[in-house]
Protein backbone atom coordinates (compact mmCIF):
# COMPACT_ATOMS: atom_id res chain seq x y z
CA UNK A 1 0.00 0.00 0.00
CA UNK A 2 3.01 2.33 0.08
CA UNK A 3 3.88 4.30 -3.07
CA UNK A 4 6.99 2.59 -4.51
CA UNK A 5 8.86 5.73 -5.66
CA UNK A 6 10.78 7.99 -3.31
CA UNK A 7 11.69 11.64 -3.72
CA UNK A 8 15.25 11.73 -2.44
CA UNK A 9 18.59 13.40 -2.84
CA UNK A 10 21.40 11.63 -4.72
CA UNK A 11 23.24 9.33 -2.33
CA UNK A 12 25.35 6.22 -2.28
CA UNK A 13 28.23 4.34 -0.75
CA UNK A 14 31.77 5.65 -0.51
CA UNK A 15 33.96 3.36 -2.64
CA UNK A 16 37.43 2.14 -1.67
CA UNK A 17 40.10 4.84 -2.08
CA UNK A 18 37.39 7.53 -2.26
CA UNK A 19 36.63 10.38 0.14
CA UNK A 20 33.03 11.21 1.09
CA UNK A 21 33.36 14.39 -0.99
CA UNK A 22 34.47 12.40 -4.03
CA UNK A 23 31.56 10.00 -3.53
CA UNK A 24 29.07 12.89 -3.30
CA UNK A 25 30.32 14.32 -6.60
CA UNK A 26 30.30 10.89 -8.29
CA UNK A 27 26.79 10.02 -7.11
CA UNK A 28 25.41 13.41 -8.18
CA UNK A 29 26.82 12.81 -11.65
CA UNK A 30 25.67 9.18 -11.92
CA UNK A 31 22.19 9.70 -10.51
CA UNK A 32 21.27 13.16 -11.78
CA UNK A 33 23.94 14.31 -14.30
CA UNK A 34 24.88 17.13 -11.91
CA UNK A 35 28.49 18.29 -11.97
CA UNK A 36 29.08 19.87 -8.57
CA UNK A 37 30.79 23.25 -8.86
CA UNK A 38 30.93 23.91 -5.10
CA UNK A 39 30.43 21.40 -2.28
CA UNK A 40 29.71 22.20 1.35
CA UNK A 41 29.30 19.81 4.27
CA UNK A 42 25.91 19.85 5.99
CA UNK A 43 26.79 17.38 8.70
CA UNK A 44 27.91 13.89 9.67
CA UNK A 45 25.80 11.45 11.67
CA UNK A 46 24.83 7.84 12.28
CA UNK A 47 21.57 6.88 10.62
CA UNK A 48 20.48 4.74 13.60
CA UNK A 49 23.06 4.47 16.40
CA UNK A 50 22.90 1.14 18.18
CA UNK A 51 21.00 -0.43 15.28
CA UNK A 52 23.49 0.02 12.46
CA UNK A 53 27.02 1.31 11.90
CA UNK A 54 25.94 3.31 8.81
CA UNK A 55 27.56 6.75 8.99
CA UNK A 56 26.18 9.56 6.81
CA UNK A 57 28.22 12.42 5.33
CA UNK A 58 25.69 14.93 4.01
CA UNK A 59 26.53 17.72 1.56
CA UNK A 60 24.92 20.53 -0.36
CA UNK A 61 26.26 21.28 -3.81
CA UNK A 62 26.07 24.12 -6.28
CA UNK A 63 25.24 22.79 -9.71
CA UNK A 64 23.27 23.39 -12.86
CA UNK A 65 20.49 20.84 -12.96
CA UNK A 66 19.50 18.83 -16.03
CA UNK A 67 16.04 19.13 -17.56
CA UNK A 68 13.17 18.25 -15.24
CA UNK A 69 12.01 14.69 -15.86
CA UNK A 70 15.34 13.48 -17.27
CA UNK A 71 16.17 9.85 -16.48
CA UNK A 72 19.60 8.84 -15.19
CA UNK A 73 21.34 6.14 -13.17
CA UNK A 74 23.67 3.29 -13.92
CA UNK A 75 22.25 0.41 -15.92
CA UNK A 76 24.52 -2.16 -14.22
CA UNK A 77 23.12 -1.01 -10.84
CA UNK A 78 19.53 -1.23 -12.17
CA UNK A 79 18.98 2.46 -11.45
CA UNK A 80 16.00 4.25 -12.95
CA UNK A 81 16.21 7.77 -11.53
CA UNK A 82 13.96 10.62 -12.62
CA UNK A 83 15.24 14.12 -11.90
CA UNK A 84 12.83 16.59 -10.32
CA UNK A 85 13.86 20.24 -10.65
CA UNK A 86 12.01 22.66 -8.38
CA UNK A 87 12.42 25.98 -6.65
CA UNK A 88 13.30 26.24 -2.96
CA UNK A 89 9.73 26.82 -1.75
CA UNK A 90 8.41 23.73 -3.52
CA UNK A 91 11.31 21.57 -2.33
CA UNK A 92 10.84 22.68 1.27
CA UNK A 93 7.08 22.19 0.92
CA UNK A 94 7.66 18.49 0.26
CA UNK A 95 8.50 18.15 3.97
CA UNK A 96 5.12 19.54 5.04
CA UNK A 97 3.24 17.53 2.40
CA UNK A 98 4.64 14.28 3.83
CA UNK A 99 6.41 13.43 0.57
CA UNK A 100 9.85 12.85 2.11
CA UNK A 101 10.19 9.37 3.58
CA UNK A 102 13.92 8.86 3.98
CA UNK A 103 15.97 10.38 6.78
CA UNK A 104 18.86 11.74 4.70
CA UNK A 105 16.59 13.76 2.41
CA UNK A 106 14.56 14.96 5.38
CA UNK A 107 17.68 16.20 7.18
CA UNK A 108 19.02 17.79 3.98
CA UNK A 109 15.78 19.63 3.23
CA UNK A 110 15.39 20.83 6.81
CA UNK A 111 18.96 22.16 6.69
CA UNK A 112 18.22 23.71 3.30
CA UNK A 113 15.07 25.39 4.66
CA UNK A 114 17.24 27.16 7.24
CA UNK A 115 20.15 28.05 4.92
CA UNK A 116 18.90 28.49 1.34
CA UNK A 117 18.75 32.30 1.52
CA UNK A 118 22.39 32.47 2.66
CA UNK A 119 23.43 29.97 -0.03
CA UNK A 120 21.64 31.92 -2.72
CA UNK A 121 23.31 35.18 -1.63
CA UNK A 122 26.78 33.62 -1.52
CA UNK A 123 26.46 31.61 -4.73
CA UNK A 124 24.95 34.41 -6.81
CA UNK A 125 27.90 36.71 -6.04
CA UNK A 126 30.29 34.57 -8.10
CA UNK A 127 27.69 33.06 -10.42
CA UNK A 128 28.49 32.47 -14.08
CA UNK A 129 25.10 30.88 -14.74
CA UNK A 130 21.95 30.54 -12.69
CA UNK A 131 22.32 28.27 -9.67
CA UNK A 132 19.51 25.85 -9.01
CA UNK A 133 18.75 26.24 -5.31
Amino acid sequence: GDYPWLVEIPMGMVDANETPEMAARREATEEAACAIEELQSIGKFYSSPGGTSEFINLFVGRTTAPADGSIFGLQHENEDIRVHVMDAAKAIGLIYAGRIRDSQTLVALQWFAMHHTELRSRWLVSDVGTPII
Side-chain angles (χ1 to χ4, degrees):
D2 198 12
Y3 188 68
W5 300 102
L6 293 176
V7 175
E8 59 185 340
I9 59 175
M11 60 183 100
M13 303 295 290
V14 178
D15 291 339
N17 300 316
E18 189 177 49
T19 66
E21 293 82 0
M22 292 165 65
R25 290 177 184 278
R26 176 181 49 75
E27 290 290 341
T29 300
E30 290 175 3
E31 295 186 353
C34 290
I36 305 298
E37 298 167 27
E38 184 175 339
L39 192 65
Q40 176 181 323
S41 177
I42 289 176
K44 301 174 183 183
F45 54 92
Y46 288 99
S47 62
S48 181
T52 178
S53 62
E54 180 182 38
F55 190 76
I56 308 296
N57 289 275
L58 204 53
F59 298 93
V60 62
R62 179 177 182 232
T63 186
T64 301
D68 187 55
S70 299
I71 306 291
F72 297 101
L74 299 179
Q75 187 174 17
H76 71 274
E77 291 184 5
N78 297 314
E79 293 177 328
D80 181 17
I81 301 168
R82 175 168 294 176
V83 172
H84 298 278
V85 178
M86 59 191 76
D87 63 27
K90 184 174 180 182
I92 294 164
L94 295 174
I95 298 168
Y96 302 104
R99 296 278 317 276
I100 305 303
R101 298 184 326 231
D102 77 274
S103 60
Q104 292 91 331
T105 302
L106 185 61
V107 170
L109 281 176
Q110 288 173 330
W111 183 93
F112 182 71
M114 295 183 342
H115 297 277
H116 75 278
T117 302
E118 181 270 328
L119 284 176
R120 183 177 304 246
S121 295
R122 185 164 39 90
W123 288 350
L124 282 176
V125 168
S126 62
D127 189 29
V128 292
T130 302
I132 304 301
I133 51 177

